[in-house]
Every structure is written in C-alpha cells, then in structure tokens.
Amino acid sequence: MMLPGMIMTLLIGGLLSWMAARWNAVLSKWIALLAVGADLSLAGYWWFHFRDAASSGSSWFIDFQTGWIPSFGIGFHVAMDGLGLVLLLLTFFLGILAVLCSWQEIKERTGFFYFNLLWTLAGISGVFVAMDLFLFYFFWEVMLVPMFFLISIWGDARRRYAAYKFFIFTQAGGLLMLLAILALYFIHGRQTGTYTFDYFSLLHTSLASSVSRWILSGFLIAFAIKLPAVPFHSWLPDAHSEAPTAGSLLLAGLLLKTGAYGIIRFVLPLFPRESAAIAWWAILAGVIAIVYGALLAFAQTDLKRLIAYTSVSHMGFVLLGIFSFSEIAMQGAVMQILTHGISTGALFVMAGMLKERLHTRDIEQMGGLWTSMPVMGGAALLFTMASLGLPMLGNFIAEFLILLGTFSASVPLAVIASFGLVLSALYSLRMVRKVFLGPADLPLKDLSVRELLILAAMSIGIIALGLYPQPVIDMVRTTVRQLVTR
Amino acid sequence: MSEIQFDALLPYTLLAASSMVIILLIAFRLSHTVIQVVGFLLLCLVIAALLKVRSSLPIAILPLFQIDGFALLFTGLIIFCVSIIGLLSYIYFEEREENPKEYYILLFLATLGAAILTISRHFISLFIGVELLSVSLYALIGYLRTRNNAVEAGMKYLVLAALSSAFLLFGMALIYMDAGTMEFAAIAQKISGHPATSPLVIMGAGIMIVAIGFKLALVPFHLWAADVYQGAPTPVTLFIATVSKIGVFAVLVRFALAIDLQHYPQASTVFSILAIASMIVGNVLALRQQNIKRLLAYSSIAHFGYLLVAFLTGGGAGVEAAFFYLLAYSITLLSAFGVVTLLSTRQRDAEDLTTYRGLFRKDPLMAAVLTVALFSLAGIPLTAGFPAKFFVLTAGVRLHLWPPVITLVLTSVIGLYYYLRVISVLFEGSPHLEIKERTLHPFFYTATYATLAALLLLLCLLGVFPGSIVEGIRAYLLI
C-alpha cells in the first residue's frame, strides 16, 4: 500500500494546494512542500530500510497489485527495485527543490501552479514504479498534461509554441508506444491464452524477429523522443528555455530520465536479442548526440538554450552506457542519470535566478556578475565543473564508467565520445566567462537564504556522488546485473 | 401484436406519446418552464420503462422491430443525451424569447426517430426512423429563422438530406429487387447463399453507404457538417452531433452484425477508406478553425472516423468498444457544447474563439469543464476519451487493421494541436470577457452548472474506472 500511498500523497497534495490558494497563497506553497517532503522522507526511509536487502541480492523490495480493468487484463501493479528507488529519491529531491525555487518566482495562479507541479511529480514517480504496461502508459501520459500547463501558462515569451511542440512530440511517441504495447499484449495473449498487460508475464513472450523489430521501434521512438536522442531532440531546447525555472528543472532532471528508464526497464528485458542487434547503431546515435549537442551548446547565446543543448550531449552518454551491455557502463548510465539530474538542474535553477534579477537570458548582456554575486559565481563554477566532468564531482564518475564500458564494445566510438569531454570543457568555460567574468556592470543582490539552501543541497549531492558513489552502485547492482547477463 | 410485445415497446410508445403531451400543454397555453419540467419527467419515465422492460428481453416484433440489450443501450444513451440537451435548451431559448415551445415537439419527434433506428430490423422501420429524424431536424436547424446563418444551414441540410433519403430508398429498392425481402436477417440469408454477390446488391449497398455516410458526416459526404453546426442553434447542433448520429450508427451496426460484414472484404475496404479519409480530412480541416462550433464539427467528423475503426472489427468486442466510444464522445460533447450554450449571449452564440480568452479567470468551473472535455476528445488519460480510444485501438490491433489503426494514431497527434490551441486560449491572460446578465430564474442556471459539474465528474470517473462500465455494456449486449 506504500507505493500507491506515495502517489496519492502527491495527487491529493496537489488538489489541496490548489484549493488552499483560494484563501491563502502561502498556505498552498507549504502544502506542496509538505507533500513532497513527506514523499522524500518516505523514499529516504526506504533507502535505509532496503539497503541490506539490496546488497544481499534481492531485486524487488515492494510489490503491490490489485485489479483495475480486469476484463482487459489491466491491473494496478506497482513495484520497486533498486533502480526504481534511486530514481524515486532523485524525483522527490528535485521535486522539493522545484517547489522551493518557485517560491518567489510564481506570483499569479499559485495554487494551480503547485497543483500542476505535484501532478507532474506524481506522473513521474508513477512511471518509475508501474509494472503494468497499461499503467505505465497511463502515468507516461499523466505527467504530460500538467507539464504542458506549466510551460504554457508560466513560461516565457514563446511559451505556447514550446508547449505545443513538447506535447505533440511526446504524445506522438507515446501513441506509437501504445500501439507497440497492444501488439505485444495480443501476441502474448495468443501464445499463452491469458491476456494481460503485466510486465512480468510479458517478459516471457517469444517473438518472431520480423514482428519484434516493429514493436521494438514503437517503444524505442517513444523513449528516444523523451531522452532525447538526435534527431528527435528538437522539442527540447524550446521547452527547456521557455519553461519556468521549476519546469526546466523537472524537464531536465526528471522527464528526460523517464526515457532512459524506459529503455533500461522495458526495451532491454523485453527485446534482448533485438536490442543487442541495434546496439552499435544506438551507441552511434549516442555519440552523435554527444558531439552535436556540445557543438550546438557552444554556439548558443541564450543561457537556458545553452544548458538545454548540454543536456542533449549528456543524455547521449546515457544511451552509450545502456547499449554497451557491460555492467560497468550500465552502472555509469544510472550514475549519469542521477548526476546530470542534479548538475543540470542546478544550472537551470541558477539561470532562473539570474533571469529574476536581470530579466534576460541572453549571455551577451551579462558579464562581470562575479563582482556583485560571488556566492552564486562560486556555485555556478562548481556545477559547470561538474558538468564538464571534473574528478571528485559526480558526473566524472558517471562518464568515466560509461567510457570504460564502451571501450570494450567499440573502440573508435569510445574515442570519439571522449572528445565530447573536451567539447564540454569548451562550452562550459565559455559560459562561465561570458556570464560571470569580465568588467562588472550592475550591482545585484547575491543569493538569498532560500536560494542558498537550494544550491547547497545540490552541491552536497553532487560532491557526495563524486566522492562516494558506492551506495548507489550497490543499490542498483542486482537490477543491472540481471540486464547484462540476460 | 401480443401483450408481451406491446409491453416491450412501452418506452417507444411513451416517447411517441410525449410529443402529444407537449402539444396538449401548448394548447393549454402553459409556460415554457412547465413544458420543460414535464418534458424532463417524461424522459425519466422513458428511462424507467427501459429498465422495466429489460427483464423480458429480447423480443422481436415481426417484421419491423427487434428490442434487445443492444437497443436498450443505444436508446438509453439517446434519452440521456436528450435530457441534457433539453435542460440546455431552456436557457438558450428562454433568453431569445422566440416562442420556444414548439421546439420541444420537434425535439421529441426527432428523438423518437433516433430511438426507432436503434430497434429497427427492417428497411421500412429504418426509413421511417431516418425520415422522422431528418424532417424534424429541418425545422429545428432553421428554428431561429431571423438569425444570419440559420436559414442557410436549414436549406443546406434540407436539400442534402432529401437527396440522401432518395439514395437510401433507391439502395433499398435495389437490394429488395435481388433479395426479395427487406428484413436484415432474411437479406443476410439470401446473399450469403450465393457464392458471388450479385451486382444489384453491391450497387444497392454502395448507394446506401452514401446515405448513411451523409448522416454520419463521413468524408467525402461531410460538406454540410461545418455550416449546419455553425448555423443551427447550439442545442440543436448538439443534437445533430450526438443523438442523430447515435441512432444512425446503431442501425448501421445492427445491419452489419446481421449480414456479418466481415465476410465481405470489399465492404470492409470501403469502410476503412471512409474511416481513413474522415480521420485525415476532419483533423486537418479543424487545424485552422477560429470558430469553436465549426472546430467541433470537424473534430466530430474525425471522431466518427475513429469510431468506424471499432465498427470495422465487428463482433462483440467491436460493438463494445464502439458503444463505449460513443458514450464517452457524447458526454464529452454534451459538456463542451454545454459551456458554449451557457456563454452564448442573446445576440449571438459564443462561437468565436476570442470570446473564450481568459475564461479560466472569469469562470473557472466552465473553463475546467471545457478543458477536460477537450482533453477527452484528444484522448488524454484521466478523461473518458482515453479508455475509449484505447478500446478502439485494442479492437483494431486485435484484428490487424494496421492502415486505419496507424492513421488513427497519427491523426490524433494532429488533432492534439487544435485542442491544445483552444485550451491555451482559455488560460490566456487579458480577460475582456463580458459578464452575461443573468435575467432568468437562477434555478435553471444552478441546475445547468450542477449538470455540467456532474458531467465533468462523469468524464473523469469514466476515465479512471472504465472497468465496471465495460462490464455493464457487455452484460447488456448479451441480452
């Protein structure tokens, strides 16, 4: 009952927060904070509770099942393993920061904003625990609608265009995935006589290779759009740059991760042979994303767009790690999911803070901010270093593990991917130079306590992951090992 | 006709008597309010009668009618829609003060026509139903005759509907010439006996498809839809979009089940071409619409394309999916047009998209209803449209109808664009929405608001827990 409870907390919290805003906007913020905080502490409790179970090699910690639409074999089946737990922890961690960083930014329709924020989080956490493919698709779609509102109501000047593009891209992928799920459902039903959407039953479907290629591509397109892999990435810069800060944080930190999660959880186990067959192409797509994203990031003048393109580049590493089919690279991919969520999230948060002060995202109009905002400058430098893969910070571990694993899969591609690190140094340093260095211009207020708190939490996270990543690696080991040995 | 048969026909006789009752009420010069309330009570009576006859079904009243679970479901849906349309009509017509009373006679007659379609098993009853429906609609569409588009819409519908009736008759005649009978079952027997279908039957069926396609506004017989939707009074638009199409669709399904359409690949091909064309054309034409009634007209063309996908699969699962789809679609349209009716002013209908700018600030409940309705039309989870679309897709994938299924998926992505466009207008800033003067009795406003809120809840409930409804539909279909 704990897992549905976790999702219900967010759903009900969202509704309450919407209602509360009619009387008092501050109350609605606190309700949102409390709801996410409750879930974060729940996930934290699980972490300590299941740590021993994870190291002893049991894979599923919690499993909850009940009927939903029995006549179609649809059940409400949620379960959590190490991977799910790690991602849930990330979800609520970033969720609470998203609530905090919109504390001052959102001034109108506060209640509805927090309602959408919490429902997006509910959809995302649902995606990470759903073990029924129909339910998975359900949550996959549920997170879109509130996100659409977040972008289209509280976004920047071109928000409507960005919101449409985001929604239509992901929905197109989602519907193709739905077709693939249905095809799988009927094939499995014909083979065994029981029609069900349950993940664990569908794992045992044997597919003819001609059919499975089509089904695989249905899933893969949906996840590649979300990830995003080149050439399905064009929604991302628009959506990220137009969304409000909390929206960008959730998009970069969590929504992209659902794509990676989908590949790890569904594509690899359901289609082991076919995914091995396309592995080289997937790695190639990853490498292209790394280089292409980095080059485009270098050329941007809009701060949020720049960070958005670094996401494309970093998520390329995830693709690389997943399709290398070695345990070490897969661990790296999981680490990359976490560290990219934190580091890029932090960069977006800072871009939001700058925008609140300067009312622009154009880096040509910034410069010399270090003089007036030394604390933020320091934090920005830390996260820029993290994102270019400096040792001691989380991203280094992740990218190192991925490259190590990829090297055994394909030497030339691993070499090209490593050049991505050089490129990332280029764009990161250019960003810091343009924004923070140079002649001082305007006097600005440095970080407030709330903002400092947000950045401090993220800094601690990224440094902890960089210095001692072992607990995470232990937590997901069983899941990863099952995938690789399959 | 035996007593049992007479009893089984009770809901339909009641419905026919209702229009007589309304005429009497008008003769006694009773007020609009009384007529409205009595009309609603009569509809409740019909529902009660439907529930009462359920236990004695199925009953055939040879040769014209077949009353079974299928008929109960579709009739029930029709009555449900009409009762809400009636409620909306009160506000709409009372405000315009254009002698609204005769409107209800026509409404009940048209309803009777649609209801007869759901029970017909014979060409004659089919034709009677279609004519009752269309003749009442001619007058209903042009009812507000002083308004700009009303007469144009009425004429357009009159000419085209008369033409399609002629087609229908001609098609029936051709089939009769070959089969020598007008009963669905007997026709099925006759034509399945021959190895090669005779050209007369093929021609007859083809001509009938034109007529049916016209009534359902399938592409390429859709040209009347947008103009008529726009010109007709909003409650009548709603009636055309729901009740009249439900009735015609019901008889189409019954005919297809009787002759077992799956065994005629050419017919399946024709219908899948119609479905694909409707989905594409409907969605594409809706893209740039600035008028919400026209937009909903094109979207309903597309939705009947989706519905045909379920129809194509035939059999129990297909009918089940189709009925669920119709249910979700009707509730959705009722709520969407309900909002349009409530926002319409005396001078003109609230059909221009700019009227809706900033609605979310002014009237959050209306905005919420319209938003959820549009999401439901787009098939987004948590609304009724999602399971509906899912069941249709399931039915299609099960039978490997790949071309229509893939068109469905791709065109519903196109469809998203215009639904989102309307939704984002609702949430835009700068509200210059004039507050409408509420001159009428507040009870009817409260009732309408409450009904719309209930429809909103219903949409969400159907979206989250479709299971029990599906079971219910299945149980009825087995009767």
Short mmCIF file of all heavy atoms in Angstrom, two decimals, chain A residues 367-400:
data_model
loop_
_atom_site.label_atom_id
_atom_site.label_comp_id
_atom_site.label_asym_id
_atom_site.label_seq_id
_atom_site.Cartn_x
_atom_site.Cartn_y
_atom_site.Cartn_z
N GLY A 367 27.66 39.45 -17.74
CA GLY A 367 29.10 39.66 -17.66
C GLY A 367 29.46 40.36 -16.37
O GLY A 367 28.73 41.24 -15.90
N GLY A 368 30.56 39.90 -15.77
CA GLY A 368 31.04 40.55 -14.57
C GLY A 368 30.17 40.34 -13.35
O GLY A 368 30.24 41.09 -12.39
N LEU A 369 29.35 39.31 -13.41
CA LEU A 369 28.43 39.14 -12.29
C LEU A 369 29.14 38.67 -11.02
O LEU A 369 28.58 38.72 -9.93
CB LEU A 369 27.32 38.15 -12.67
CG LEU A 369 26.44 38.63 -13.82
CD1 LEU A 369 25.35 37.62 -14.10
CD2 LEU A 369 25.81 39.97 -13.50
N TRP A 370 30.35 38.16 -11.20
CA TRP A 370 31.06 37.63 -10.03
C TRP A 370 31.25 38.71 -8.98
O TRP A 370 31.17 38.46 -7.79
CB TRP A 370 32.42 37.05 -10.46
CG TRP A 370 33.01 36.16 -9.42
CD1 TRP A 370 33.43 36.52 -8.17
CD2 TRP A 370 33.25 34.76 -9.52
NE1 TRP A 370 33.90 35.44 -7.49
CE2 TRP A 370 33.80 34.34 -8.30
CE3 TRP A 370 33.05 33.82 -10.54
CZ2 TRP A 370 34.18 33.01 -8.07
CZ3 TRP A 370 33.43 32.51 -10.30
CH2 TRP A 370 33.97 32.12 -9.07
N THR A 371 31.50 39.94 -9.44
CA THR A 371 31.79 41.03 -8.51
C THR A 371 30.63 41.24 -7.55
O THR A 371 30.84 41.38 -6.34
CB THR A 371 31.99 42.34 -9.29
OG1 THR A 371 32.47 42.01 -10.58
CG2 THR A 371 32.93 43.26 -8.57
N SER A 372 29.42 41.24 -8.10
CA SER A 372 28.30 41.52 -7.22
C SER A 372 27.71 40.25 -6.60
O SER A 372 27.07 40.33 -5.57
CB SER A 372 27.21 42.29 -7.98
OG SER A 372 26.94 41.63 -9.19
N MET A 373 27.95 39.11 -7.23
CA MET A 373 27.35 37.88 -6.70
C MET A 373 28.40 36.78 -6.57
O MET A 373 28.35 35.80 -7.28
CB MET A 373 26.24 37.39 -7.62
CG MET A 373 25.25 38.46 -8.02
SD MET A 373 24.17 37.92 -9.33
CE MET A 373 23.31 36.63 -8.52
N PRO A 374 29.33 36.97 -5.66
CA PRO A 374 30.40 35.97 -5.57
C PRO A 374 29.90 34.58 -5.17
O PRO A 374 30.43 33.58 -5.65
CB PRO A 374 31.32 36.56 -4.51
CG PRO A 374 30.51 37.53 -3.75
CD PRO A 374 29.48 38.05 -4.68
N VAL A 375 28.89 34.52 -4.32
CA VAL A 375 28.44 33.21 -3.85
C VAL A 375 27.84 32.42 -5.02
O VAL A 375 28.17 31.25 -5.26
CB VAL A 375 27.40 33.36 -2.72
CG1 VAL A 375 26.96 32.00 -2.25
CG2 VAL A 375 27.98 34.17 -1.60
N MET A 376 27.00 33.09 -5.79
CA MET A 376 26.41 32.39 -6.92
C MET A 376 27.48 32.05 -7.94
O MET A 376 27.47 30.97 -8.55
CB MET A 376 25.33 33.23 -7.59
CG MET A 376 24.65 32.42 -8.67
SD MET A 376 23.72 33.41 -9.79
CE MET A 376 22.13 33.27 -9.10
N GLY A 377 28.44 32.93 -8.11
CA GLY A 377 29.54 32.64 -9.03
C GLY A 377 30.25 31.36 -8.64
O GLY A 377 30.52 30.50 -9.49
N GLY A 378 30.51 31.23 -7.34
CA GLY A 378 31.19 30.01 -6.87
C GLY A 378 30.36 28.78 -7.16
O GLY A 378 30.87 27.77 -7.69
N ALA A 379 29.07 28.87 -6.83
CA ALA A 379 28.20 27.72 -7.06
C ALA A 379 28.14 27.39 -8.55
O ALA A 379 28.23 26.22 -8.95
CB ALA A 379 26.80 28.02 -6.53
N ALA A 380 28.04 28.44 -9.38
CA ALA A 380 27.95 28.21 -10.81
C ALA A 380 29.21 27.53 -11.31
O ALA A 380 29.17 26.60 -12.13
CB ALA A 380 27.74 29.52 -11.54
N LEU A 381 30.36 27.97 -10.79
CA LEU A 381 31.62 27.35 -11.21
C LEU A 381 31.63 25.88 -10.83
O LEU A 381 32.03 25.02 -11.62
CB LEU A 381 32.78 28.10 -10.56
CG LEU A 381 34.14 27.78 -11.18
CD1 LEU A 381 34.14 28.22 -12.63
CD2 LEU A 381 35.24 28.47 -10.41
N LEU A 382 31.16 25.58 -9.62
CA LEU A 382 31.14 24.19 -9.17
C LEU A 382 30.32 23.33 -10.12
O LEU A 382 30.77 22.28 -10.58
CB LEU A 382 30.54 24.12 -7.76
CG LEU A 382 30.34 22.70 -7.25
CD1 LEU A 382 31.66 22.15 -6.74
CD2 LEU A 382 29.29 22.64 -6.16
N PHE A 383 29.11 23.79 -10.46
CA PHE A 383 28.26 22.94 -11.29
C PHE A 383 28.72 22.91 -12.73
O PHE A 383 28.52 21.93 -13.44
CB PHE A 383 26.80 23.39 -11.18
CG PHE A 383 26.20 23.01 -9.86
CD1 PHE A 383 25.93 23.97 -8.90
CD2 PHE A 383 25.97 21.68 -9.57
CE1 PHE A 383 25.41 23.60 -7.68
CE2 PHE A 383 25.46 21.31 -8.35
CZ PHE A 383 25.19 22.28 -7.40
N THR A 384 29.36 23.98 -13.19
CA THR A 384 29.93 23.94 -14.53
C THR A 384 31.05 22.92 -14.59
O THR A 384 31.15 22.13 -15.53
CB THR A 384 30.49 25.32 -14.90
OG1 THR A 384 29.57 26.29 -14.50
CG2 THR A 384 30.73 25.41 -16.37
N MET A 385 31.86 22.92 -13.53
CA MET A 385 32.93 21.93 -13.47
C MET A 385 32.34 20.52 -13.42
O MET A 385 32.85 19.60 -14.05
CB MET A 385 33.79 22.16 -12.22
CG MET A 385 34.64 23.41 -12.29
SD MET A 385 35.67 23.38 -13.74
CE MET A 385 35.46 25.02 -14.33
N ALA A 386 31.27 20.37 -12.66
CA ALA A 386 30.63 19.06 -12.60
C ALA A 386 30.19 18.65 -13.99
O ALA A 386 30.43 17.53 -14.43
CB ALA A 386 29.43 19.11 -11.66
N SER A 387 29.59 19.60 -14.71
CA SER A 387 29.03 19.19 -15.99
C SER A 387 30.11 18.96 -17.03
O SER A 387 29.91 18.21 -17.98
CB SER A 387 27.97 20.21 -16.42
OG SER A 387 28.34 20.85 -17.58
N LEU A 388 31.30 19.54 -16.86
CA LEU A 388 32.36 19.19 -17.80
C LEU A 388 33.14 17.98 -17.35
O LEU A 388 34.10 17.55 -18.00
CB LEU A 388 33.26 20.39 -18.13
CG LEU A 388 34.16 21.04 -17.09
CD1 LEU A 388 35.41 20.22 -16.86
CD2 LEU A 388 34.56 22.42 -17.58
N GLY A 389 32.75 17.38 -16.22
CA GLY A 389 33.34 16.10 -15.82
C GLY A 389 34.64 16.22 -15.06
O GLY A 389 35.61 15.50 -15.32
N LEU A 390 34.68 17.14 -14.10
CA LEU A 390 35.89 17.25 -13.27
C LEU A 390 35.89 16.15 -12.22
O LEU A 390 34.86 15.89 -11.61
CB LEU A 390 35.88 18.63 -12.59
CG LEU A 390 37.20 19.05 -11.96
CD1 LEU A 390 38.16 19.51 -13.04
CD2 LEU A 390 36.98 20.15 -10.94
N PRO A 391 37.00 15.50 -11.99
CA PRO A 391 37.06 14.46 -10.96
C PRO A 391 36.66 15.03 -9.60
O PRO A 391 36.79 16.22 -9.37
CB PRO A 391 38.54 14.06 -10.94
CG PRO A 391 39.02 14.41 -12.29
CD PRO A 391 38.25 15.58 -12.76
N MET A 392 36.15 14.15 -8.77
CA MET A 392 35.65 14.49 -7.44
C MET A 392 34.17 14.84 -7.48
O MET A 392 33.50 14.79 -6.47
CB MET A 392 36.38 15.69 -6.82
CG MET A 392 37.07 15.37 -5.53
SD MET A 392 37.88 16.82 -4.91
CE MET A 392 36.53 17.81 -4.33
N LEU A 393 33.67 15.19 -8.66
CA LEU A 393 32.25 15.51 -8.76
C LEU A 393 31.56 14.36 -9.49
O LEU A 393 32.18 13.65 -10.28
CB LEU A 393 32.06 16.82 -9.49
CG LEU A 393 32.73 18.01 -8.79
CD1 LEU A 393 32.69 19.24 -9.65
CD2 LEU A 393 32.05 18.27 -7.46
N GLY A 394 30.26 14.22 -9.22
CA GLY A 394 29.53 13.04 -9.66
C GLY A 394 29.63 12.71 -11.14
O GLY A 394 29.81 11.54 -11.53
N ASN A 395 29.53 13.73 -11.98
CA ASN A 395 29.49 13.45 -13.42
C ASN A 395 30.74 12.74 -13.91
O ASN A 395 30.70 11.97 -14.87
CB ASN A 395 29.34 14.75 -14.20
CG ASN A 395 28.10 15.49 -13.82
OD1 ASN A 395 27.81 15.61 -12.64
ND2 ASN A 395 27.36 15.95 -14.80
N PHE A 396 31.87 13.02 -13.24
CA PHE A 396 33.11 12.38 -13.65
C PHE A 396 32.99 10.87 -13.52
O PHE A 396 33.32 10.11 -14.44
CB PHE A 396 34.27 12.91 -12.81
CG PHE A 396 35.52 12.11 -12.97
CD1 PHE A 396 36.27 12.19 -14.14
CD2 PHE A 396 35.94 11.25 -11.96
CE1 PHE A 396 37.42 11.43 -14.29
CE2 PHE A 396 37.08 10.48 -12.12
CZ PHE A 396 37.81 10.58 -13.28
N ILE A 397 32.50 10.44 -12.35
CA ILE A 397 32.34 9.00 -12.11
C ILE A 397 31.49 8.39 -13.21
O ILE A 397 31.84 7.38 -13.83
CB ILE A 397 31.65 8.76 -10.76
CG1 ILE A 397 32.33 9.51 -9.64
CG2 ILE A 397 31.51 7.29 -10.47
CD1 ILE A 397 33.51 8.85 -9.07
N ALA A 398 30.37 9.05 -13.46
CA ALA A 398 29.42 8.50 -14.43
C ALA A 398 30.05 8.39 -15.81
O ALA A 398 30.04 7.31 -16.43
CB ALA A 398 28.19 9.41 -14.49
N GLU A 399 30.65 9.48 -16.28
CA GLU A 399 31.17 9.46 -17.64
C GLU A 399 32.36 8.53 -17.74
O GLU A 399 32.56 7.85 -18.76
CB GLU A 399 31.49 10.89 -18.09
CG GLU A 399 30.21 11.60 -18.52
CD GLU A 399 30.30 13.09 -18.58
OE1 GLU A 399 31.42 13.62 -18.64
OE2 GLU A 399 29.24 13.74 -18.58
N PHE A 400 33.14 8.48 -16.68
CA PHE A 400 34.29 7.57 -16.69
C PHE A 400 33.83 6.12 -16.81
O PHE A 400 34.33 5.36 -17.64
CB PHE A 400 35.09 7.79 -15.40
CG PHE A 400 36.28 6.90 -15.30
CD1 PHE A 400 37.41 7.15 -16.08
CD2 PHE A 400 36.29 5.81 -14.44
CE1 PHE A 400 38.52 6.32 -16.00
CE2 PHE A 400 37.38 4.97 -14.38
CZ PHE A 400 38.50 5.23 -15.15
#
